[in-house]
Amino acid sequence: HVPTIAIVGRPNVGKSAIFNRMAGRRIAIVHDEPGVTRDRISAPCKITDHACKLMDTGGIGARLSDGFAEQVAAEADIAMKTADLILFVLDSRDHLTPIDQSIADHLRKSEVPVMLLLNKADHEKQDLNLGEFSGLGFNDYIFLSAAHGRGFSELASRLDSFL
Ligand code: GDP
Ligand code: MG
């Protein structure tokens, strides 16, 4: 069994950028327009010595007109059903949004372990909103910058203990 790691989160937090860094290739499209990745994309990846499968769930909230709450629920549920570990991505420079809260509400019911990735922490001295994120009810978190690569070796060693 190859462990599956799902990347979930609202549009524009950097899921695809994180996916590409972890996969070591540019597979998912990184885009300024929220919701550009409509499909779930997966790729093999290697974390320290472990082979695993990475899944980018870019469709969350992609199209408000399709019934937004349903989409959030559906994507989170797919991740909860298929993944061995869920990486829940948030924008560390932004405040929590109702979408973040809604995803968190779903993931809290999960038996799959959830790790928070507080992305866009590009600089060490950045003003980050850790207080808000710690209120979500998940214990594991890590600051990352998919743009600069900060935090990824730490992420790999943390994931290693799950795999
Ligand atoms: P997704 O919708 O969650 O898949 O987000 P994307 O990966 O497409 O990224 C959305 C936007 O955020 C793009 O403009 C990225 O270049 C930008 N972005 C992603 N990660 C980072 C980061 O670590 N730092 C900064 N400053 N921008 C980022
Ligand atoms: Mg995406």
Side-chain angles (χ1 to χ4, degrees), residues 10-17 29-32 35 37 93 119-120 122 144-147:
R10 67 171 158 88
N12 221 36
V13 291
K15 293 180 301 300
S16 297
I29 302 164
V30 174
H31 206 280
D32 291 324
T37 321
R93 304 188 303 192
N119 191 39
K120 307 200 184 184
D122 297 346
L144 279 187
S145 169

PDB file of all heavy atoms in Angstrom, residues 10-17 29-32 35 37 93 119-120 122 144-147, ligand 1:
ATOM      1  N   ARG A  10      -8.880  26.163   0.564  1.00  0.00           N
ATOM      2  CA  ARG A  10      -9.640  27.029  -0.348  1.00  0.00           C
ATOM      3  C   ARG A  10      -8.750  27.487  -1.510  1.00  0.00           C
ATOM      4  O   ARG A  10      -7.525  27.332  -1.449  1.00  0.00           O
ATOM      5  CB  ARG A  10     -10.216  28.216   0.427  1.00  0.00           C
ATOM      6  CG  ARG A  10      -9.178  29.184   0.951  1.00  0.00           C
ATOM      7  CD  ARG A  10      -9.857  30.423   1.517  1.00  0.00           C
ATOM      8  NE  ARG A  10      -9.023  31.140   2.452  1.00  0.00           N
ATOM      9  CZ  ARG A  10      -8.153  32.085   2.129  1.00  0.00           C
ATOM     10  NH1 ARG A  10      -7.932  32.411   0.870  1.00  0.00           N
ATOM     11  NH2 ARG A  10      -7.455  32.704   3.076  1.00  0.00           N
ATOM     12  N   PRO A  11      -9.368  28.064  -2.541  1.00  0.00           N
ATOM     13  CA  PRO A  11      -8.579  28.527  -3.682  1.00  0.00           C
ATOM     14  C   PRO A  11      -7.548  29.579  -3.292  1.00  0.00           C
ATOM     15  O   PRO A  11      -7.779  30.375  -2.383  1.00  0.00           O
ATOM     16  CB  PRO A  11      -9.632  29.155  -4.612  1.00  0.00           C
ATOM     17  CG  PRO A  11     -10.911  28.513  -4.238  1.00  0.00           C
ATOM     18  CD  PRO A  11     -10.821  28.242  -2.765  1.00  0.00           C
ATOM     19  N   ASN A  12      -6.407  29.521  -3.977  1.00  0.00           N
ATOM     20  CA  ASN A  12      -5.398  30.581  -3.907  1.00  0.00           C
ATOM     21  C   ASN A  12      -4.495  30.572  -2.670  1.00  0.00           C
ATOM     22  O   ASN A  12      -3.721  31.502  -2.476  1.00  0.00           O
ATOM     23  CB  ASN A  12      -6.070  31.960  -4.023  1.00  0.00           C
ATOM     24  CG  ASN A  12      -5.247  32.877  -4.894  1.00  0.00           C
ATOM     25  OD1 ASN A  12      -4.641  32.440  -5.879  1.00  0.00           O
ATOM     26  ND2 ASN A  12      -5.196  34.149  -4.544  1.00  0.00           N
ATOM     27  N   VAL A  13      -4.572  29.540  -1.867  1.00  0.00           N
ATOM     28  CA  VAL A  13      -3.687  29.470  -0.697  1.00  0.00           C
ATOM     29  C   VAL A  13      -2.319  28.898  -1.040  1.00  0.00           C
ATOM     30  O   VAL A  13      -1.388  28.967  -0.229  1.00  0.00           O
ATOM     31  CB  VAL A  13      -4.315  28.649   0.461  1.00  0.00           C
ATOM     32  CG1 VAL A  13      -5.504  29.394   1.069  1.00  0.00           C
ATOM     33  CG2 VAL A  13      -4.721  27.256  -0.009  1.00  0.00           C
ATOM     34  N   GLY A  14      -2.200  28.284  -2.248  1.00  0.00           N
ATOM     35  CA  GLY A  14      -0.910  27.736  -2.684  1.00  0.00           C
ATOM     36  C   GLY A  14      -0.843  26.216  -2.704  1.00  0.00           C
ATOM     37  O   GLY A  14       0.248  25.645  -2.705  1.00  0.00           O
ATOM     38  N   LYS A  15      -2.001  25.563  -2.780  1.00  0.00           N
ATOM     39  CA  LYS A  15      -2.022  24.089  -2.827  1.00  0.00           C
ATOM     40  C   LYS A  15      -1.199  23.544  -3.983  1.00  0.00           C
ATOM     41  O   LYS A  15      -0.387  22.633  -3.817  1.00  0.00           O
ATOM     42  CB  LYS A  15      -3.464  23.556  -2.965  1.00  0.00           C
ATOM     43  CG  LYS A  15      -4.352  23.788  -1.781  1.00  0.00           C
ATOM     44  CD  LYS A  15      -5.745  23.232  -2.013  1.00  0.00           C
ATOM     45  CE  LYS A  15      -6.450  23.831  -3.225  1.00  0.00           C
ATOM     46  NZ  LYS A  15      -6.651  25.286  -3.160  1.00  0.00           N
ATOM     47  N   SER A  16      -1.407  24.104  -5.164  1.00  0.00           N
ATOM     48  CA  SER A  16      -0.714  23.584  -6.348  1.00  0.00           C
ATOM     49  C   SER A  16       0.780  23.865  -6.277  1.00  0.00           C
ATOM     50  O   SER A  16       1.600  23.034  -6.689  1.00  0.00           O
ATOM     51  CB  SER A  16      -1.323  24.179  -7.622  1.00  0.00           C
ATOM     52  OG  SER A  16      -2.678  23.784  -7.732  1.00  0.00           O
ATOM     53  N   ALA A  17       1.139  25.018  -5.738  1.00  0.00           N
ATOM     54  CA  ALA A  17       2.561  25.348  -5.587  1.00  0.00           C
ATOM     55  C   ALA A  17       3.226  24.361  -4.619  1.00  0.00           C
ATOM     56  O   ALA A  17       4.351  23.905  -4.861  1.00  0.00           O
ATOM     57  CB  ALA A  17       2.705  26.791  -5.086  1.00  0.00           C
ATOM     58  N   ILE A  29      -1.102  23.302 -12.094  1.00  0.00           N
ATOM     59  CA  ILE A  29      -1.010  24.684 -12.557  1.00  0.00           C
ATOM     60  C   ILE A  29      -1.143  25.632 -11.374  1.00  0.00           C
ATOM     61  O   ILE A  29      -2.111  25.584 -10.624  1.00  0.00           O
ATOM     62  CB  ILE A  29      -2.126  24.997 -13.578  1.00  0.00           C
ATOM     63  CG1 ILE A  29      -2.030  24.045 -14.766  1.00  0.00           C
ATOM     64  CG2 ILE A  29      -2.039  26.451 -14.026  1.00  0.00           C
ATOM     65  CD1 ILE A  29      -3.292  24.012 -15.616  1.00  0.00           C
ATOM     66  N   VAL A  30      -0.133  26.489 -11.221  1.00  0.00           N
ATOM     67  CA  VAL A  30      -0.184  27.526 -10.192  1.00  0.00           C
ATOM     68  C   VAL A  30      -0.712  28.777 -10.867  1.00  0.00           C
ATOM     69  O   VAL A  30      -0.217  29.193 -11.905  1.00  0.00           O
ATOM     70  CB  VAL A  30       1.215  27.780  -9.601  1.00  0.00           C
ATOM     71  CG1 VAL A  30       1.198  28.955  -8.642  1.00  0.00           C
ATOM     72  CG2 VAL A  30       1.729  26.528  -8.919  1.00  0.00           C
ATOM     73  N   HIS A  31      -1.727  29.349 -10.290  1.00  0.00           N
ATOM     74  CA  HIS A  31      -2.368  30.462 -10.974  1.00  0.00           C
ATOM     75  C   HIS A  31      -2.859  31.528 -10.009  1.00  0.00           C
ATOM     76  O   HIS A  31      -3.257  31.221  -8.897  1.00  0.00           O
ATOM     77  CB  HIS A  31      -3.548  29.948 -11.804  1.00  0.00           C
ATOM     78  CG  HIS A  31      -3.867  30.820 -12.975  1.00  0.00           C
ATOM     79  ND1 HIS A  31      -4.602  31.970 -12.839  1.00  0.00           N
ATOM     80  CD2 HIS A  31      -3.530  30.721 -14.277  1.00  0.00           C
ATOM     81  CE1 HIS A  31      -4.725  32.532 -14.039  1.00  0.00           C
ATOM     82  NE2 HIS A  31      -4.080  31.798 -14.925  1.00  0.00           N
ATOM     83  N   ASP A  32      -2.833  32.762 -10.467  1.00  0.00           N
ATOM     84  CA  ASP A  32      -3.309  33.864  -9.644  1.00  0.00           C
ATOM     85  C   ASP A  32      -4.816  33.895  -9.511  1.00  0.00           C
ATOM     86  O   ASP A  32      -5.361  34.468  -8.592  1.00  0.00           O
ATOM     87  CB  ASP A  32      -2.827  35.198 -10.224  1.00  0.00           C
ATOM     88  CG  ASP A  32      -1.319  35.336 -10.070  1.00  0.00           C
ATOM     89  OD1 ASP A  32      -0.814  34.873  -9.034  1.00  0.00           O
ATOM     90  OD2 ASP A  32      -0.681  35.875 -10.973  1.00  0.00           O
ATOM     91  N   GLY A  35      -9.161  29.028  -8.046  1.00  0.00           N
ATOM     92  CA  GLY A  35      -9.998  27.971  -8.589  1.00  0.00           C
ATOM     93  C   GLY A  35      -9.604  27.491  -9.963  1.00  0.00           C
ATOM     94  O   GLY A  35     -10.411  26.916 -10.688  1.00  0.00           O
ATOM     95  N   THR A  37      -7.421  25.153 -10.821  1.00  0.00           N
ATOM     96  CA  THR A  37      -7.309  23.703 -10.929  1.00  0.00           C
ATOM     97  C   THR A  37      -8.652  23.087 -10.610  1.00  0.00           C
ATOM     98  O   THR A  37      -9.079  23.080  -9.466  1.00  0.00           O
ATOM     99  CB  THR A  37      -6.265  23.152  -9.933  1.00  0.00           C
ATOM    100  OG1 THR A  37      -5.182  24.054  -9.893  1.00  0.00           O
ATOM    101  CG2 THR A  37      -5.781  21.781 -10.342  1.00  0.00           C
ATOM    102  N   ARG A  93      -0.733  34.735   5.759  1.00  0.00           N
ATOM    103  CA  ARG A  93      -0.733  36.206   5.737  1.00  0.00           C
ATOM    104  C   ARG A  93      -2.141  36.774   5.798  1.00  0.00           C
ATOM    105  O   ARG A  93      -2.328  37.979   5.899  1.00  0.00           O
ATOM    106  CB  ARG A  93      -0.044  36.710   4.467  1.00  0.00           C
ATOM    107  CG  ARG A  93       1.371  36.175   4.323  1.00  0.00           C
ATOM    108  CD  ARG A  93       2.078  36.824   3.182  1.00  0.00           C
ATOM    109  NE  ARG A  93       1.345  36.652   1.937  1.00  0.00           N
ATOM    110  CZ  ARG A  93       1.843  36.924   0.745  1.00  0.00           C
ATOM    111  NH1 ARG A  93       3.074  37.392   0.653  1.00  0.00           N
ATOM    112  NH2 ARG A  93       1.132  36.725  -0.326  1.00  0.00           N
ATOM    113  N   ASN A 119       0.964  28.462   4.727  1.00  0.00           N
ATOM    114  CA  ASN A 119       1.780  28.807   3.552  1.00  0.00           C
ATOM    115  C   ASN A 119       1.941  30.318   3.398  1.00  0.00           C
ATOM    116  O   ASN A 119       1.276  31.098   4.052  1.00  0.00           O
ATOM    117  CB  ASN A 119       1.141  28.194   2.299  1.00  0.00           C
ATOM    118  CG  ASN A 119       2.049  28.264   1.095  1.00  0.00           C
ATOM    119  OD1 ASN A 119       3.268  28.077   1.211  1.00  0.00           O
ATOM    120  ND2 ASN A 119       1.491  28.557  -0.072  1.00  0.00           N
ATOM    121  N   LYS A 120       2.805  30.691   2.501  1.00  0.00           N
ATOM    122  CA  LYS A 120       3.123  32.089   2.177  1.00  0.00           C
ATOM    123  C   LYS A 120       3.867  32.773   3.326  1.00  0.00           C
ATOM    124  O   LYS A 120       3.817  33.996   3.463  1.00  0.00           O
ATOM    125  CB  LYS A 120       1.875  32.887   1.765  1.00  0.00           C
ATOM    126  CG  LYS A 120       1.080  32.200   0.627  1.00  0.00           C
ATOM    127  CD  LYS A 120       0.166  33.121  -0.120  1.00  0.00           C
ATOM    128  CE  LYS A 120      -0.659  32.351  -1.152  1.00  0.00           C
ATOM    129  NZ  LYS A 120      -1.514  33.199  -1.981  1.00  0.00           N
ATOM    130  N   ASP A 122       6.854  33.683   3.686  1.00  0.00           N
ATOM    131  CA  ASP A 122       8.053  33.873   2.869  1.00  0.00           C
ATOM    132  C   ASP A 122       9.246  34.370   3.676  1.00  0.00           C
ATOM    133  O   ASP A 122      10.390  34.046   3.376  1.00  0.00           O
ATOM    134  CB  ASP A 122       7.777  34.872   1.737  1.00  0.00           C
ATOM    135  CG  ASP A 122       6.712  34.363   0.777  1.00  0.00           C
ATOM    136  OD1 ASP A 122       6.388  33.165   0.826  1.00  0.00           O
ATOM    137  OD2 ASP A 122       6.208  35.181  -0.015  1.00  0.00           O
ATOM    138  N   LEU A 144       5.301  27.442   6.030  1.00  0.00           N
ATOM    139  CA  LEU A 144       5.920  27.078   4.759  1.00  0.00           C
ATOM    140  C   LEU A 144       5.955  28.275   3.821  1.00  0.00           C
ATOM    141  O   LEU A 144       5.152  29.190   3.949  1.00  0.00           O
ATOM    142  CB  LEU A 144       5.062  26.040   4.027  1.00  0.00           C
ATOM    143  CG  LEU A 144       5.077  24.558   4.328  1.00  0.00           C
ATOM    144  CD1 LEU A 144       4.238  23.864   3.275  1.00  0.00           C
ATOM    145  CD2 LEU A 144       6.485  24.012   4.324  1.00  0.00           C
ATOM    146  N   SER A 145       6.857  28.221   2.869  1.00  0.00           N
ATOM    147  CA  SER A 145       6.759  29.113   1.721  1.00  0.00           C
ATOM    148  C   SER A 145       6.989  28.292   0.471  1.00  0.00           C
ATOM    149  O   SER A 145       8.121  27.906   0.174  1.00  0.00           O
ATOM    150  CB  SER A 145       7.800  30.239   1.808  1.00  0.00           C
ATOM    151  OG  SER A 145       7.853  30.924   0.556  1.00  0.00           O
ATOM    152  N   ALA A 146       5.911  28.014  -0.238  1.00  0.00           N
ATOM    153  CA  ALA A 146       6.039  27.252  -1.481  1.00  0.00           C
ATOM    154  C   ALA A 146       6.784  28.065  -2.521  1.00  0.00           C
ATOM    155  O   ALA A 146       7.463  27.520  -3.394  1.00  0.00           O
ATOM    156  CB  ALA A 146       4.653  26.853  -2.006  1.00  0.00           C
ATOM    157  N   ALA A 147       6.692  29.388  -2.414  1.00  0.00           N
ATOM    158  CA  ALA A 147       7.373  30.258  -3.361  1.00  0.00           C
ATOM    159  C   ALA A 147       8.888  30.196  -3.165  1.00  0.00           C
ATOM    160  O   ALA A 147       9.644  30.157  -4.134  1.00  0.00           O
ATOM    161  CB  ALA A 147       6.881  31.699  -3.211  1.00  0.00           C
TER     162      ALA A 147
HETATM  163  P1  GDP B   1      -4.193  27.026  -5.156  1.00  0.00           P
HETATM  164  O1  GDP B   1      -5.388  27.692  -5.770  1.00  0.00           O
HETATM  165  O2  GDP B   1      -4.424  26.779  -3.682  1.00  0.00           O
HETATM  166  O3  GDP B   1      -3.747  25.803  -5.880  1.00  0.00           O
HETATM  167  O4  GDP B   1      -3.002  28.108  -5.190  1.00  0.00           O
HETATM  168  P2  GDP B   1      -1.780  28.233  -6.248  1.00  0.00           P
HETATM  169  O5  GDP B   1      -0.743  27.217  -5.965  1.00  0.00           O
HETATM  170  O6  GDP B   1      -2.360  28.269  -7.630  1.00  0.00           O
HETATM  171  O7  GDP B   1      -1.203  29.645  -5.827  1.00  0.00           O
HETATM  172  C1  GDP B   1      -2.055  30.791  -5.796  1.00  0.00           C
HETATM  173  C2  GDP B   1      -1.196  32.051  -5.823  1.00  0.00           C
HETATM  174  O8  GDP B   1      -0.417  32.132  -4.637  1.00  0.00           O
HETATM  175  C3  GDP B   1      -0.218  32.087  -6.979  1.00  0.00           C
HETATM  176  O9  GDP B   1      -0.124  33.406  -7.438  1.00  0.00           O
HETATM  177  C4  GDP B   1       1.091  31.647  -6.349  1.00  0.00           C
HETATM  178  O10 GDP B   1       2.220  32.137  -7.020  1.00  0.00           O
HETATM  179  C5  GDP B   1       0.959  32.237  -4.959  1.00  0.00           C
HETATM  180  N1  GDP B   1       1.726  31.508  -3.943  1.00  0.00           N
HETATM  181  C6  GDP B   1       1.736  30.162  -3.710  1.00  0.00           C
HETATM  182  N2  GDP B   1       2.574  29.868  -2.692  1.00  0.00           N
HETATM  183  C7  GDP B   1       3.128  31.019  -2.276  1.00  0.00           C
HETATM  184  C8  GDP B   1       4.079  31.390  -1.249  1.00  0.00           C
HETATM  185  O11 GDP B   1       4.618  30.567  -0.509  1.00  0.00           O
HETATM  186  N3  GDP B   1       4.361  32.705  -1.113  1.00  0.00           N
HETATM  187  C9  GDP B   1       3.796  33.656  -1.902  1.00  0.00           C
HETATM  188  N4  GDP B   1       4.157  34.923  -1.688  1.00  0.00           N
HETATM  189  N5  GDP B   1       2.918  33.368  -2.887  1.00  0.00           N
HETATM  190  C10 GDP B   1       2.575  32.069  -3.066  1.00  0.00           C
END
